[in-house]
Amino acid sequence: MAGKLPNEGDTPLPKPTKLTVENLEKHESKHEVMAMRQFACGKCQKNWWREVPAKKPVSICKRCYQKYDALPREKEFGIGVHKCACGHSFTGWTSYGTKSPCYKCGAEVLPEIQPNKNTIKKKTHRRHKCEACNGVGDCPNKKPLVHVSEPHISTGSTISSVVSGDDDDPHASDRRRAAYGEFDEEDDDTIVDQFEDLSIGEVDYHSD
């Protein structure tokens, strides 16, 4: 008697998932790694933090609608917490890699930049001092923008192009474009909303 073929007479195996843009997007959204990144618009003189997909950290300035790449980690700036080995900690305006002396022991301490923190609530009589200014004159770390983001240049390498090859189609699906960074001016928060933007903050140095 001939042997049974694999799974013959048993419960049939589930059908493989069809390769479609929608299915690929669902898969990507479930496995997307998010990261909190900083953006700075030189034209509008404002910066903000946004939780974005780690592999494509792009955000839009809500004032001029320019798309920007996130600042490199080594160019992040703002308010930082300095935790000294002596146990003392202090807060001040700073930028990545800029040391400030501990007010208790004098040791040079690197900061931890705090996303979405725009003000220093507890102020002391001590004068601001860091490597950038050495306590003299106006510290560059207190300027509205220490660094600016580079305008985003779309490469067109989205999921939709893998399936349909329509990267050059100006009428490509808004849903696909929004999900992977091809934003529309009237809906600049689409990519953040899709991945549940948990924390958004802006520092705006100009009043409307």
Side-chain angles (χ1 to χ4, degrees):
M1 181 177 179
K4 289 172 51 180
L5 295 174
N7 296 311
E8 185 178 349
D10 298 333
T11 302
L13 293 174
K15 293 181 179 181
T17 302
K18 187 178 179 180
L19 184 62
T20 65
V21 172
E22 182 178 2
N23 288 335
L24 284 172
E25 288 177 356
K26 287 181 179 179
H27 174 79
E28 288 291 317
S29 64
K30 288 181 180 179
H31 299 83
E32 189 69 75
V33 177
M34 306 299 288
M36 185 65 72
R37 300 299 300 272
Q38 186 179 28
F39 302 83
C41 176
K43 179 180 178 181
C44 299
Q45 287 292 292
K46 74 171 187 176
N47 76 84
W48 65 96
W49 292 83
R50 185 65 51 87
E51 187 173 52
V52 293
K55 69 179 182 180
K56 192 163 187 177
V58 178
S59 183
I60 281 187
C61 175
K62 290 185 177 181
R63 178 165 296 162
C64 67
Y65 296 102
Q66 172 66 53
K67 288 187 290 185
Y68 287 108
D69 291 327
L71 286 173
R73 291 293 189 186
E74 64 272 15
K75 289 188 176 182
E76 291 179 350
F77 61 91
I79 294 176
V81 174
H82 305 71
K83 299 178 181 179
C84 183
C86 74
H88 179 62
S89 64
F90 56 98
T91 304
W93 292 95
T94 186
S95 57
Y96 182 94
T98 301
K99 296 179 181 179
S100 295
C102 174
Y103 293 113
K104 283 195 172 181
C105 70
E108 297 292 325
V109 187
L110 286 169
E112 296 177 7
I113 307 297
Q114 304 296 295
N116 294 326
K117 188 166 180 140
N118 306 331
T119 59
I120 300 176
K121 294 183 179 180
K122 185 179 179 180
K123 296 184 179 181
T124 68
H125 65 279
R126 299 186 180 95
R127 183 179 178 82
H128 171 83
K129 185 178 181 180
C130 69
E131 283 183 323
C133 67
N134 200 31
V136 179
D138 295 330
C139 181
N141 285 322
K142 289 187 176 183
K143 291 181 179 180
L145 299 182
V146 179
H147 300 286
V148 295
S149 296
E150 292 293 332
H152 176 68
I153 300 175
S154 177
T155 60
S157 55
T158 63
I159 284 294
S160 59
S161 67
V162 175
V163 179
S164 62
D166 62 4
D167 268 348
D168 296 326
D169 180 5
H171 304 293
S173 166
D174 288 343
R175 177 176 56 79
R176 278 176 267 158
R177 292 164 59 201
Y180 292 93
E182 300 297 328
F183 299 88
D184 289 324
E185 291 188 358
E186 63 270 20
D187 190 9
D188 55 293
D189 287 328
T190 307
I191 191 169
V192 182
D193 293 340
Q194 179 182 358
F195 296 107
E196 298 182 4
D197 184 14
L198 302 179
S199 182
I200 300 176
E202 290 187 1
V203 181
D204 194 343
Y205 296 89
H206 290 260
S207 58
D208 292 327

